[in-house]
Amino acid sequence: MLVCTFIAHGSSFAHRGELRQAKRIVVKLGSAVVTRGDECGLALGRLASIVEQVAMLQNQGREMMIVTSGAVAFGKQRLRHEILLSQSVRQALHSGHNQLKDMSLPVLEARACAAAGQSGLMALYEAMFTQYSTCTAQVLVTNLDFHDDQKRQNLNSTLQELLRMNIVPIINTNDAVVPPPEPNSDLQGVNVISIKDNDSLAARLAVEMKADLLIALSDVEGLYNSPPGTDDAKLIDIFYPGDQQSIIYGTKSRVGIGGMEAKVKAAMWALQGGTSVVIANGTHPKVTGHVITDIVEGKKVGTFFSEIKPAGPTVEHQTEMARTSGRTLASLHPDQRSEIICHLAELLTDKKKEILTANKMDMDLAVNAGHLPPAMLKRLSLSPSKLSSLAIGLRQIAVAAQDSVGRVLRRTRVAHNLELEQITVPIGVLLVIFEARPDCLPQVSALAIASGNALLLKGGKEAANTNRVLHQLTQEALSLHGVREAVQLVSTREEVEDLCRLDKMIDLIIPRGSSQLVRNIQRAAKGIPVLGHSEGICHVYVDGEASVDKVIKIVRDSKCDYPAACNAMESLLIHRDVLRMPLFDQIIDMLRTEQVKIHAGPRFASYLTFSPSEAKSLRTEYGDLECCIEVVDSMQEAVDHIHKYGSSHTDVIITENEDTAEQFLQQLDSACVFWNASSRFADGYRFGLGAEVGISTARIHARGPVGLEGLLTTKWVLRGDGHTAADFSEQGTMKYLHENLPIVQPLVGQRDSN
């Protein structure tokens, strides 16, 4: 076992996000990563992807070093081939014919395997790195090299010079001359060379070379609180020195004897020396191709070792607390859930000064930073009237909460004394991610409380002070009935992409923000449903039989009332007959008066001698005082255009012809379709939902403005009297009735919940 003293070279990184600053990085490749599953030869595809990542980081200007295993496995492959070839030749000469007897392989001595494999391993690395115009150098060391000060200084000097010349050192223990191996079996047929050597070597080297980061790749996802595969085993995201006593270690991996305990000890040693450490899986086929770069980018991969333990709980712990408290919330009397929401509404009024003071801090910071556009600044700002409107909306939700969870939707008598009910229940744990819009927090919290859902909130940093105060008030209201932890505000440095990976803990993600935010979340959320829309490309179609007054009012409101809203008009479709009417000039004059920049669609541009700037795309969400105008020949062509270029959000027809309007309403496949009404009506508050968590353009579950009903799902409850499926078989005595029964809601407070 390597025992060394060290002098810490500085502080390690406290948070994953800081790993992006890592300049000098050591990548340790364990035997399980480098070798094939048969433990004879190298995993070439896996190795190639690792080399690609290291070369990419090296070419970014970082200083990369690799501590590698694999010489024994590679040498074993070569020696087995030579022995088999030699035995077959001798047998052929001895017997005089090609009939070969069964040949058994002798146990191969590990140091001989290492001697035979070291040159081949290095040649392989050199060939792979050459593909990326990256030079490598081999450095072989033994434990004794670190005990001699002169040798250690020479090693340091050599590595410093290689790094200065932009060369990637490939470092390994000189297994050909190590002390006699232990008698256990490590690689099958090969005596053990302790994998602890390379774990210790990587840690010692990282500290010696003042590396910023040590990435130790193994065949497990990271460090678990108990052996992986056991029922209660949980992957530890961040490991702190004080947590060592809470870990139960399992057996070693298929190759190497040190196992996770040796890796943790080496990691702790490096951490104390000032080097940050991440232990991760380097063998998983879906992540090997980007595991190293993901770690350096600060993504939640493997186990990150940190000396600084945050004061608050981890996001995983927050989710568990929310789910537990959320189940209690769902089982409360409906009046109790309503009381919580009404109390929150009162707090918004009573604590108005405190809320507005925090909001002013956020506004001042945002204005001074100068990076928020006017539309986002408007969303960030709160006012007394805005808080009053929020309180009114919350009281509407409180009324709706009386009849939400546990409502019977269907009752069926399956057979005598066997009744089936379908009832509403909460979805579970919701994750709502919102940008600079603090008014979203109490709205969404109230909807979650009314529907009995646990809630995780991740707000934009621009509204950090306001969000903190609003969340404190929300938890104060929840404390009224002992469910304070049901709503959690994620305030750690958790990246949105990392939150989207908690597929075993979160049941639904609801993004509230820009189309780019929604698209990013939809891409990142591999195993969690996302409720929302990525774009709000809303159309208004002006028919040839439209009323002048209605057209001017609706088009102005749809575009100019709140241009940044997702339900604002982005494309104006005009029937070609309108071009010859005074109405057309009135539309253009109104838009110019409102300072709306017009982009001409290709067909509209062809009608004009001097046209506005031509639209770059007919599928554009401007989010500002801009819109596209295009000409169509008919209502049907307008429908076809919207289906091709729209986003299935909200689309409007303005016409006095009822038949034309009804065809438009029936044929158009959007979440919201309006006749002679502004697109701005696509809003939960205006729909009478009290508030909304967002507008969904999805084809399943909730669609359009999503309020309380959209946060509920159902479960089936069967009440029997000792019934079995065998009772209804051919030999059974019972028959199915399947009678629909009248729906009778259960007594208040006695409803089922999940």
Side-chain angles (χ1 to χ4, degrees):
M1 185 76 177
L2 180 62
V3 179
C4 298
T5 57
F6 64 83
I7 300 175
H9 62 263
S11 299
S12 58
F13 296 124
H15 307 284
R16 282 185 184 269
E18 297 173 350
L19 296 180
R20 299 185 185 96
Q21 304 169 25
K23 167 75 172 175
R24 182 170 289 182
I25 302 171
V26 176
V27 178
K28 186 262 177 182
L29 306 179
S31 297
V33 176
V34 176
T35 61
R36 296 192 320 224
D38 61 4
E39 303 170 11
C40 182
L42 304 181
L44 297 180
R46 194 185 300 149
L47 206 55
S49 67
I50 290 171
V51 165
E52 181 180 12
Q53 294 171 80
V54 171
M56 185 181 77
L57 293 171
Q58 178 82 3
N59 293 332
Q60 288 176 358
R62 304 180 198 267
E63 297 174 340
M64 304 299 295
M65 292 178 279
I66 293 178
V67 175
T68 183
S69 302
V72 173
F74 196 37
K76 178 183 176 184
Q77 183 185 36
R78 294 181 65 182
L79 292 181
R80 285 181 67 179
H81 177 75
E82 292 298 324
I83 292 170
L84 285 171
L85 183 62
S86 175
Q87 287 181 344
S88 63
V89 170
R90 284 201 304 271
Q91 279 200 12
L93 291 173
H94 180 73
S95 61
H97 54 76
N98 290 329
Q99 293 290 330
L100 299 180
K101 299 178 182 177
D102 292 337
M103 294 179 290
S104 59
L105 287 171
V107 174
L108 299 174
E109 206 274 331
R111 286 173 294 183
C113 290
Q118 197 62 254
S119 60
L121 177 65
M122 192 58 210
L124 183 62
Y125 273 119
E126 190 171 347
M128 287 182 172
F129 273 105
T130 299
Q131 304 301 312
Y132 304 97
S133 302
T134 302
C135 186
T136 59
Q138 182 182 31
V139 179
L140 294 176
V141 298
T142 65
N143 292 350
L144 297 176
D145 294 327
F146 288 97
H147 292 298
D148 186 293
D149 288 343
Q150 185 61 51
K151 288 184 178 180
R152 191 171 70 251
Q153 290 173 14
N154 291 343
L155 174 62
N156 188 305
S157 176
T158 299
L159 292 174
Q160 295 284 7
E161 183 65 13
L162 291 174
L163 294 174
R164 187 188 67 79
M165 294 188 292
N166 202 33
I167 294 172
V168 177
I170 310 291
I171 304 141
N172 195 359
T173 52
N174 191 355
D175 295 332
V177 296
V178 294
E182 300 175 20
N184 304 23
S185 177
D186 184 26
L187 295 168
Q188 186 177 356
V190 182
N191 290 333
V192 166
I193 292 179
S194 173
I195 192 65
K196 286 185 231 179
D197 288 349
N198 270 352
D199 286 321
S200 302
L201 169 62
R204 183 65 184 92
L205 189 75
V207 174
E208 178 71 32
M209 296 302 296
K210 296 180 171 57
D212 302 307
L213 173 62
L214 166 60
I215 299 175
L217 297 182
S218 181
D219 59 351
V220 291
E221 303 302 321
L223 177 61
Y224 287 78
N225 60 349
S226 57
T230 57
D231 290 341
D232 296 326
K234 291 182 181 179
L235 179 66
I236 298 173
D237 171 36
I238 305 177
F239 184 76
Y240 307 98
D243 294 342
Q244 280 183 285
Q245 302 302 318
S246 63
I247 305 300
I248 301 172
Y249 296 102
T251 57
K252 67 181 183 66
S253 64
R254 63 178 175 84
V255 286
I257 137 173
M260 186 55 69
E261 187 172 6
K263 290 173 176 56
V264 170
K265 288 179 179 178
M268 294 300 296
W269 194 89
L271 187 67
Q272 293 168 19
T275 297
S276 294
V277 183
V278 175
I279 295 177
N281 192 338
T283 63
H284 198 294
K286 290 185 178 180
V287 300
T288 301
H290 49 83
V291 60
I292 297 173
T293 51
D294 280 355
I295 290 170
V296 176
E297 288 172 10
K299 295 181 181 178
K300 186 178 285 189
V301 179
T303 299
F304 172 62
F305 287 71
S306 174
E307 289 188 297
I308 301 176
K309 193 165 188 174
T314 65
V315 68
E316 289 84 0
H317 188 210
Q318 282 186 291
T319 309
E320 290 174 357
M321 288 192 298
R323 185 180 289 279
T324 301
S325 196
R327 286 175 174 148
T328 305
L329 173 68
S331 66
L332 290 179
H333 192 290
D335 284 343
Q336 293 175 307
R337 288 194 292 271
S338 294
E339 285 173 15
I340 292 172
I341 299 169
C342 287
H343 187 40
L344 178 56
E346 291 169 4
L347 288 171
L348 291 180
T349 304
D350 296 343
K351 303 287 186 178
K352 188 180 298 183
K353 184 177 180 181
E354 187 179 341
I355 297 169
L356 294 177
T357 300
N359 187 244
K360 186 179 185 304
M361 291 173 61
D362 289 327
M363 287 294 294
D364 290 345
L365 289 170
V367 170
N368 292 334
H371 65 275
L372 282 187
M376 287 193 76
L377 279 173
K378 186 176 180 181
R379 288 178 177 175
L380 176 61
S381 175
L382 291 180
S383 64
S385 61
K386 215 170 190 179
L387 290 176
S388 297
S389 297
L390 274 173
I392 293 170
L394 262 57
R395 290 188 177 94
Q396 291 179 346
I397 296 172
V399 173
Q402 291 287 336
D403 187 29
S404 55
V405 180
R407 180 160 46 91
V408 179
L409 302 179
R410 180 184 304 175
R411 290 182 70 222
T412 304
R413 180 179 287 118
V414 178
H416 181 65
N417 284 340
L418 187 63
E419 291 188 5
L420 179 68
E421 286 183 343
Q422 184 183 21
I423 63 173
T424 57
V425 294
I427 289 173
V429 179
L430 312 178
L431 167 62
V432 177
I433 301 168
F434 54 101
E435 294 179 315
R437 46 198 313 165
D439 58 331
C440 176
L441 195 152
Q443 285 180 341
V444 173
S445 296
L447 286 168
I449 294 164
S451 57
N453 284 292
L455 178 62
L456 239 63
L457 294 159
K458 174 67 173 175
K461 61 180 180 295
E462 301 86 359
N465 294 298
T466 315
N467 288 339
R468 187 184 66 255
V469 173
L470 290 171
H471 177 249
Q472 288 171 352
L473 298 179
T474 302
Q475 290 204 317
E476 183 178 335
L478 287 163
S479 299
L480 194 64
H481 291 294
V483 286
R484 177 184 176 85
E485 308 301 337
V487 176
Q488 298 282 332
L489 179 65
V490 179
S491 56
T492 58
R493 299 189 177 204
E494 225 71 34
E495 297 291 341
V496 168
E497 188 172 334
D498 293 330
L499 291 171
C500 291
R501 292 176 180 174
L502 300 176
D503 57 308
K504 292 181 175 61
M505 310 180 80
I506 293 169
D507 300 300
L508 179 67
I509 299 176
I510 305 172
R512 294 288 305 271
S514 66
S515 57
Q516 187 59 50
L517 170 72
V518 179
R519 281 194 295 270
N520 290 342
I521 290 171
Q522 287 173 333
R523 279 195 297 266
K526 303 297 183 184
I528 310 174
V530 177
L531 188 151
H533 63 279
S534 59
E535 293 174 305
I537 304 175
C538 302
H539 293 74
V540 174
Y541 166 56
V542 179
D543 186 55
E545 300 179 66
S547 160
V548 174
D549 291 340
K550 291 177 184 177
V551 168
I552 299 302
K553 283 178 62 180
I554 292 170
V555 171
R556 178 190 285 118
D557 189 71
S558 295
K559 178 71 260 184
C560 307
D561 177 60
Y562 193 178
C566 63
N567 58 9
M569 181 193 79
E570 304 293 1
S571 290
L572 177 62
L573 302 180
I574 297 177
H575 192 285
R576 65 177 181 181
D577 292 346
V578 175
L579 295 177
R580 297 189 292 270
M581 300 178 185
L583 172 59
F584 173 71
D585 293 330
Q586 291 176 266
I587 294 171
I588 298 300
D589 289 343
M590 180 273 294
L591 291 174
R592 285 175 175 165
T593 301
E594 297 291 341
Q595 299 182 327
V596 177
K597 182 177 181 180
I598 297 172
H599 302 274
R603 189 168 178 193
F604 178 49
S606 69
Y607 282 92
L608 305 173
T609 305
F610 299 101
S611 68
S613 62
E614 191 164 337
K616 295 180 180 179
S617 169
L618 295 176
R619 192 181 285 112
T620 301
E621 183 178 13
Y622 296 101
D624 207 343
L625 284 172
E626 299 180 61
C627 74
C628 171
I629 297 181
E630 184 57 307
V631 176
V632 293
D633 288 340
S634 64
M635 179 277 296
Q636 187 60 55
E637 189 174 318
V639 170
D640 294 341
H641 178 101
I642 295 170
H643 281 159
K644 184 174 183 179
Y645 299 109
S647 61
S648 300
H649 191 295
T650 301
D651 299 292
V652 177
I653 182 172
I654 308 175
T655 184
E656 296 303 301
N657 188 313
E658 186 175 348
D659 290 339
T660 301
E662 288 300 330
Q663 289 182 51
F664 183 90
L665 297 177
Q666 291 173 15
Q667 292 183 32
L668 196 59
D669 185 23
S670 295
C672 299
V673 190
F674 300 161
W675 172 24
N676 287 348
S678 168
S679 63
R680 292 281 289 130
F681 273 101
D683 177 84
Y685 182 77
R686 294 185 175 96
F687 277 15
L689 304 178
E692 65 180 34
V693 293
I695 295 180
S696 172
T697 55
R699 303 289 170 175
I700 58 174
H701 192 57
R703 200 164 187 229
V706 180
L708 180 56
E709 293 293 324
L711 299 182
L712 296 169
T713 184
T714 64
K715 73 177 179 183
W716 295 92
V717 176
L718 185 63
R719 294 180 174 89
D721 188 21
H723 296 78
T724 67
D727 294 336
F728 298 90
S729 65
E730 291 183 5
Q731 294 78 26
T733 59
M734 302 193 71
K735 295 184 181 297
Y736 289 112
L737 299 176
H738 292 148
E739 296 174 358
N740 290 328
L741 300 174
I743 295 175
V744 179
Q745 298 300 343
L747 294 175
V748 173
Q750 300 298 314
R751 294 171 178 166
D752 290 281
S753 58
N754 70 345

